[in-house]
Amino acid sequence: MNTYNPITALLIFFAISVFVYLLFRPNKGWYWLITTNSKSNGKIIIEDILKLLYHSENANKQLNLNDIIRTLKNSDSLIVESINKMITHKLICMEGDAVKLTKSGSDYALRIVRAHRLWEKFLAEKTGFDRAEWHEIAEKKEHELTNDEANILASKLGNPQFDPHGDPIPTNTGKIAKIKGTALSELPVDTIGRITHIRDKPDIIYKQILAEKIHIGSLIRVVEKTSTRIVFHSEGESFVLAPIIAGNITVMVLEKDVVVEENLARLSILKEGETAKIIGISREIRGESRRKLLDLGFVKGADVSIDLLNPLGEPNAFLIKGTSIALRNNQASKILIKKG
């Protein structure tokens, strides 16, 4: 008995044609997407390994394969495969069990570091992203920026030497400015200095520094140092850090005769009934956010006072130039005042 049905055959042929089209369609087919994503993931892993080795070698640390596997969040097989490709392309070499960058690998790593730090500078200067988000966004964007695009971005930003954390941005020829200063954990009591660099690795320490609202550019005085804690005064507040946290903050030591204004403070600690004059805005506020505060009247010499305290904590309203302006504590902490 013949059961052939031309309609069924046509439907099957049509279904197979659609499947083949979806599978192999140029630029959007499943095969193309899978292949492209695989290549993209492979590139990201290689660049992450290069950057990891670069930072480790700059800290005079040697890494072996197990160290790399433990640090990166990829499968062991993908990392091993990437390592083998990098050896083949002479980006890395093995010295005993240590994995080391070659000259080509170091140059490649510098391009990734440059792209990352330029992205952080862009996010700080040109967008409204919070500083807690800069690093994570730049971690993704660094793999997308070509060398030519990095040069264009650097030019638009004015070819900056340092990123928002104070880390040097390599030039397109690989030159790097030096970070000047001493780790806060190494400074003796009564040292006066200015914060010039906050290391953004490891994440857990960086997040603790952010939570303390410690800013680059702040003038500090060390008032206590023990084996368990470092205490310093800055901008009307006292900060207490564990030495391991303080070690991630770099301070440029100033001369002993530098005058530290005792009544210099942050707007966030102004109390009801007090008046003050604006001294300036922290370097932590940049770009559009800085211009907005200046446009609202938070300029040097302007008188400011509390207009209304929020019973829920924030935002609070500040009276400046006859206008009531609401600011969150995070914004107010970056405006410096001198109490009257």
Side-chain angles (χ1 to χ4, degrees), residues 272-283:
E272 195 169 16
E274 293 181 332
T275 59
K277 284 191 179 294
I278 302 293
I279 298 299
I281 299 175
S282 168
R283 287 169 50 193

Side-chain angles (χ1 to χ4, degrees), residues 248-265:
N248 273 30
I249 300 172
T250 304
V251 176
M252 172 66 74
V253 177
L254 302 177
E255 298 297 329
K256 290 291 185 182
D257 58 356
V258 170
V259 177
V260 179
E261 306 237 18
E262 296 299 331
N263 57 350
L264 185 68

Side-chain angles (χ1 to χ4, degrees), residues 214-241:
I214 296 170
H215 305 149
I216 281 183
S218 296
L219 198 66
I220 72 163
R221 182 199 295 274
V222 181
V223 296
E224 181 184 335
K225 179 182 179 182
T226 70
S227 60
T228 58
R229 69 184 211 159
I230 309 289
V231 182
F232 66 92
H233 289 169
S234 177
E235 298 168 355
E237 297 186 60
S238 181
F239 298 86
V240 181
L241 300 177

Side-chain angles (χ1 to χ4, degrees), residues 3 11-12 47 67 77 82 112 115 120 146 155 163 166-167 189 193 197 202 226 244 271 276 278-279 315 337:
T3 57
L11 289 173
I12 292 173
E47 291 178 349
D67 296 325
S77 60
S82 298
I112 304 304
E120 288 201 340
T146 67
S155 179
D163 75 2
D167 285 312
V189 171
H197 175 241
T226 70
I244 192 172
K271 294 181 174 57
I278 302 293
I279 298 299
I337 59 171

Side-chain angles (χ1 to χ4, degrees), residues 10 19 100 149 162 178-179 200 202 208 231 236 243 249 254 263 293 312:
L10 185 62
F19 175 77
K100 292 197 169 184
E149 289 169 340
F162 296 93
K178 290 185 178 180
I179 298 174
D200 58 3
Q208 289 185 55
V231 182
I249 300 172
L254 302 177
N263 57 350
L293 285 175
L312 299 178

Side-chain angles (χ1 to χ4, degrees), residues 267 293 296 298 314-318 325-329 331-332 335:
L267 182 58
L293 285 175
L296 289 172
F298 292 94
E314 62 175 324
N316 292 311
F318 297 91
I325 305 293
L327 295 179
R328 295 194 172 276
N329 290 339
Q331 295 171 296
I335 299 174

